[in-house]
Amino acid sequence: MLPSIIGYVSKDSAFKAELKKLHTGDTRENPLIFPHVCPASLSFMVALVAAQNKGGRRIWAIADSLPTQERVAAELAVWDTKGIFVPEREVHINNGLSDPDLAAERLEALHAITAEHKDPTVIITTAAGLQQTAPLLTRDSAEILTLHTGDEYPPEQLTALLTEHGFDRVDQVIARSQWSLRGGILDVFPLQSAWPLRLEFFGDELESIRIFEIDSQLSTKKIESAELILEEPPADRLLKDFIAPQDWIISLPGSGVPGDVVIFETPPDVVD
């Protein structure tokens, strides 16, 4: 029911005339302006713009802060809109310890940005995040290993490759960058993954790939393919450099980022 509201609003004469400009005008120079948008409606406005995307382009929703970024990302699912949440890179002070889960989430998000998507995708980040450096992760990168069930991957070659990229052999996998081999079963925890993988072989043939839990060591889900980031490439570009000319940018309130769509809680010409 809720996603259908997007369709109703898109057909409204006032909205329809404005949204049409996304396809007919130069919105980088003359952006669509949506004033008086309350915080609770931001995810709806992002989903509304995303619904106009029929060309497979990416949409960048730029927030002013982490709370706004988190709220929009969490609520997009309500409107049946796919989103990629890109955390800001941690800034270490006084040699503070990094959060491995946050680093993995960021790595997976950066990988997803460069992957091929058949459906429109919204990338949610912050204005500060756009100015941070990031690595380019594509499927043909040497740092990424793609596995498919039914294909042949000699386990001894896989384990040698993992070791070459700094993965540690252990008796039981409990952390990222670890692997364990027991007969024809290879457990491995990729750098970008929230869960480790269990690869089951018959000879050199990969028979199955399963996600498993660290605590119980029990498999929870069977998948047909998996991508393992073996090593993080150098962060040699800014996140804003990932924005393609055909992509749409949604500037959320307070972000200050020029966009194809600019959303205000209060119009800029209103003075308290």
Side-chain angles (χ1 to χ4, degrees):
M1 175 60 184
L2 285 179
S4 65
I5 297 176
I6 298 288
Y8 293 140
V9 174
S10 297
K11 295 176 183 177
D12 176 82
S13 58
F15 277 97
K16 186 176 181 179
E18 285 297 302
L19 294 170
K20 187 177 180 181
K21 296 177 183 177
L22 286 168
H23 300 286
T24 61
D26 184 2
T27 48
R28 291 287 169 91
E29 295 295 330
N30 300 288
L32 278 66
I33 305 293
F34 291 104
H36 302 296
V37 178
C38 66
S41 299
L42 292 179
S43 61
F44 171 81
M45 295 303 299
V46 172
L48 178 64
V49 173
Q52 316 309 311
N53 180 15
K54 308 302 180 184
R57 61 175 58 82
R58 297 174 303 187
I59 299 171
W60 297 73
I62 315 301
D64 65 326
S65 63
L66 176 60
T68 301
Q69 181 191 17
E70 290 180 330
R71 178 171 187 166
V72 171
E75 294 177 355
L76 275 180
V78 174
W79 306 105
D80 198 25
T81 301
K82 295 181 180 180
I84 298 174
F85 180 93
V86 185
E88 291 182 16
R89 191 185 66 244
E90 287 185 287
V91 177
H92 301 294
I93 301 176
N94 297 327
N95 296 319
L97 297 176
S98 62
D99 181 348
D101 290 332
L102 181 63
E105 183 182 6
R106 176 175 169 80
L107 199 59
E108 173 62 13
L110 293 172
H111 179 215
I113 288 174
T114 56
E116 295 180 2
H117 294 282
K118 294 181 180 179
D119 300 323
T121 301
V122 177
I123 300 163
I124 310 102
T125 186
T126 63
L130 284 180
Q131 303 301 324
Q132 292 183 332
T133 55
L136 179 63
L137 292 161
T138 60
R139 288 182 175 176
D140 57 354
S141 297
E143 297 84 359
I144 296 178
L145 175 63
T146 303
L147 302 173
H148 299 276
T149 56
D151 290 348
E152 291 192 354
Y153 309 92
E156 64 275 9
Q157 292 184 16
L158 280 180
T159 55
L161 183 64
L162 292 171
T163 301
E164 179 185 338
H165 284 84
F167 281 61
D168 297 320
R169 182 170 190 174
V170 295
D171 293 331
Q172 180 173 294
V173 169
I174 59 172
R176 293 180 181 87
S177 297
Q178 292 182 344
W179 64 270
S180 173
L181 183 64
R182 303 180 308 280
I185 299 177
L186 172 61
D187 289 348
V188 60
F189 204 150
L191 292 180
Q192 86 286 6
S193 179
W195 305 100
L197 302 175
R198 178 158 293 152
L199 313 178
E200 299 182 19
F201 292 87
F202 182 75
D204 290 343
E205 181 181 346
L206 180 56
E207 282 198 321
S208 71
I209 305 174
R210 300 177 187 272
I211 296 171
F212 71 92
E213 291 185 348
I214 293 176
D215 294 335
S216 67
Q217 292 288 302
L218 296 177
S219 300
T220 59
K221 183 180 180 181
K222 187 176 182 179
I223 56 179
E224 295 301 317
S225 64
E227 293 184 331
L228 284 65
I229 296 181
L230 303 174
E231 186 177 339
E232 183 173 347
D236 57 358
R237 65 202 67 207
L238 299 179
L239 182 59
K240 68 178 183 179
D241 295 332
F242 286 70
I243 302 176
Q246 70 272 17
D247 291 350
W248 289 343
I249 301 173
I250 303 176
S251 179
L252 297 175
S255 72
V257 175
D260 299 274
V261 179
V262 181
I263 298 175
F264 295 101
E265 290 182 26
T266 302
D269 58 340
V270 174
V271 179
D272 293 332

